[in-house]
Amino acid sequence: MEGGGRPSAAQAVLLTASTAITALLYSIYRQKARVASGLEGARKVRLDGDLRALLLEAPGRCVPYAVIEGVVRSVKDTLSSQFVESCKGVVQRLTLQEHKMVWNRTTHLWNDYEKIIHQRTNTTPFDLVPAEDGAGVAVRVMKPLDAAELSLETVYEKFHPSVQSFTDVIGHYISGERPKGIQETEQMLKVGTTLTGVGELVLDNATIKLQPPKQGMPYYLSSLDFESLLQKQESSVRFWKILTVVFGFATCAVLFFLLRKQYRHHRERQRLRQMQEEFRQAQERLTNTEGGEILKNACVVCLSSTKSCVFLECGHVCSCHECYQALPKPKKCPICRQGITRMVPLYNS
């Protein structure tokens, strides 16, 4: 604490940062809890012949937040893998990722660094259909790239190490960057994959569509079943809740520490004022009623007995013998704080 009981700049910054982090974590926790609650309350519908009738009876032919499970089927053309034969899908993502080592001037260590230098995603319209053939119902999936948890399977992955000459190695050490190579990856959403879709289910003319919800809730296309997806979101909620509680306790601890320091400072100031008041009253008691002067021979410690000790080596005469005995060791002169090597009694004649 600084003078006047105010917290120091470092303590104020610590309290502000801890409060801000706690507020941020609480905001994330509330958002995650809202998502998990909305997902838990989503309406589960079956992909069967009754789905169209259900939507016809729904207000606006729409279920605002629905859960539906089905198998991926291409509407027209399918996408073929560039590297794997007979691999067909409806979403294809090709990625080139650079891997290199970068010298950290602070830690003096080489750290791994990854950077996507090119990525292309191809899509084709697809439906979710029942696992059993012949049901005659399909749900068109709209804007699949907007979905969270979009399950793409890695069908091809190859790392191409960089070829370096001796001169290149020396140059890389000087520049602080050492290329490791390029990783080539292909991911696909295959035809026949079972997906769990969570979003807005709407009947548009003769087509049933699954699309991003309008209430701000997340849009899911996941290979997990609904229960696993819900458990994953609830685990995320618990994680952020624990972080919020931990940082909240830390903020309360910092605040308690500062308030305790300020309270102790306030008590110390009260004690000092009380001592000053007692000293003033003692001075008034020692005032000579006839001359109105303060008794010069009074002990400076107790202000009641007569000075009777000479302190060496400083030579001050300021204390009575009882107060000299009560001085804590190592004994120091109350006036100049110099160490007392010996005491000589003073006798007034």
Side-chain angles (χ1 to χ4, degrees):
M1 303 291 285
E2 294 179 345
R6 296 185 300 273
S8 64
Q11 292 170 341
V13 169
L14 179 62
L15 179 61
T16 303
S18 179
T19 304
I21 293 175
T22 302
L24 176 62
L25 293 176
Y26 179 74
S27 175
I28 297 175
Y29 158 69
R30 291 293 300 170
Q31 180 184 2
K32 297 290 184 181
R34 183 179 67 85
V35 169
S37 177
L39 187 61
E40 186 177 6
R43 183 174 180 179
K44 303 175 183 61
V45 297
R46 293 179 58 85
L47 191 55
D48 54 21
D50 298 332
L51 179 59
R52 188 178 299 274
L54 184 148
L55 290 173
L56 287 172
E57 296 175 358
R61 297 185 176 183
C62 171
V63 177
Y65 207 46
V67 180
I68 192 166
E69 295 184 3
V71 177
V72 173
R73 184 185 68 183
S74 177
V75 175
K76 295 181 180 179
D77 300 329
T78 58
L79 301 174
S80 300
S81 171
Q82 294 186 4
F83 305 98
V84 181
E85 295 183 1
S86 303
C87 183
K88 304 291 184 178
V90 293
V91 179
Q92 179 188 48
R93 180 170 294 162
L94 301 170
T95 305
L96 290 178
Q97 190 173 38
E98 179 187 16
H99 292 258
K100 61 182 178 180
M101 303 288 288
V102 178
W103 177 254
N104 191 315
R105 301 182 185 277
T106 303
T107 61
H108 298 285
L109 296 172
W110 289 95
N111 298 328
D112 288 324
Y113 178 78
E114 299 176 358
K115 178 183 178 182
I116 295 178
I117 57 179
H118 178 73
Q119 187 174 78
R120 185 176 80 251
T121 303
N122 303 318
T123 62
T124 188
F126 68 95
D127 294 336
L128 292 181
V129 297
E132 302 84 5
D133 295 333
V137 62
V139 174
R140 181 69 48 84
V141 177
M142 312 300 294
K143 299 180 179 180
L145 298 183
D146 292 347
E149 305 282 341
L150 180 60
S151 300
L152 298 181
E153 180 183 349
T154 301
V155 297
Y156 176 82
E157 188 174 24
K158 186 175 182 180
F159 183 77
H160 304 276
S162 60
V163 179
Q164 305 175 25
S165 64
F166 180 73
T167 305
D168 294 333
V169 172
I170 295 177
H172 296 153
Y173 271 96
I174 295 175
S175 64
E177 293 187 0
R178 292 162 47 191
K180 296 173 63 177
I182 302 295
Q183 181 172 338
E184 189 175 15
T185 306
E186 182 182 27
Q187 296 173 298
M188 296 191 71
L189 178 58
K190 293 182 179 181
V191 174
T193 302
T194 301
L195 284 185
T196 299
V198 184
E200 183 182 69
L201 203 60
V202 59
L203 178 61
D204 185 9
N205 296 326
T207 305
I208 303 175
K209 296 180 179 180
L210 179 68
Q211 59 191 17
K214 297 183 177 63
Q215 298 87 351
M217 296 298 291
Y219 180 37
Y220 292 102
L221 288 174
S222 175
S223 60
L224 300 174
D225 60 82
F226 177 71
E227 295 300 328
S228 300
L229 184 61
L230 181 60
Q231 289 178 5
K232 184 177 180 180
Q233 298 304 317
E234 290 176 344
S235 298
S236 177
V237 171
R238 287 192 295 269
F239 171 76
W240 288 105
K241 182 178 181 180
I242 291 173
L243 277 183
T244 303
V245 171
V246 169
F247 275 87
F249 273 117
T251 302
C252 292
V254 173
L255 182 61
F256 174 77
F257 172 79
L258 296 180
L259 292 177
R260 180 171 173 268
K261 284 284 188 179
Q262 192 163 7
Y263 173 73
R264 292 178 62 182
H265 177 80
H266 177 69
R267 290 290 302 271
E268 184 66 21
R269 291 181 60 186
Q270 283 187 331
R271 190 180 68 84
L272 181 59
R273 285 197 296 266
Q274 183 178 0
M275 291 176 60
Q276 290 174 344
E277 180 64 21
E278 292 176 354
F279 181 76
R280 186 186 62 80
Q281 293 176 359
Q283 283 183 326
E284 291 178 355
R285 288 196 301 268
L286 292 173
T287 301
N288 189 339
T289 55
E290 295 181 356
E293 297 180 355
I294 299 175
L295 186 61
K296 295 181 179 180
N297 289 331
C299 170
V300 299
V301 180
C302 65
L303 298 176
S304 58
S305 301
T306 305
K307 302 174 183 177
S308 59
C309 299
V310 180
F311 297 150
L312 300 178
E313 299 293 332
C314 66
H316 282 122
V317 181
C318 58
S319 170
C320 64
H321 188 268
E322 289 76 7
C323 290
Y324 165 73
Q325 295 291 339
L327 288 176
K329 295 182 181 181
K331 296 182 184 296
K332 295 183 179 180
C333 174
I335 301 299
C336 64
R337 307 306 298 166
Q338 183 176 341
I340 302 173
T341 57
R342 63 193 184 97
M343 184 275 294
V344 177
L346 177 66
Y347 301 99
N348 294 321
S349 58

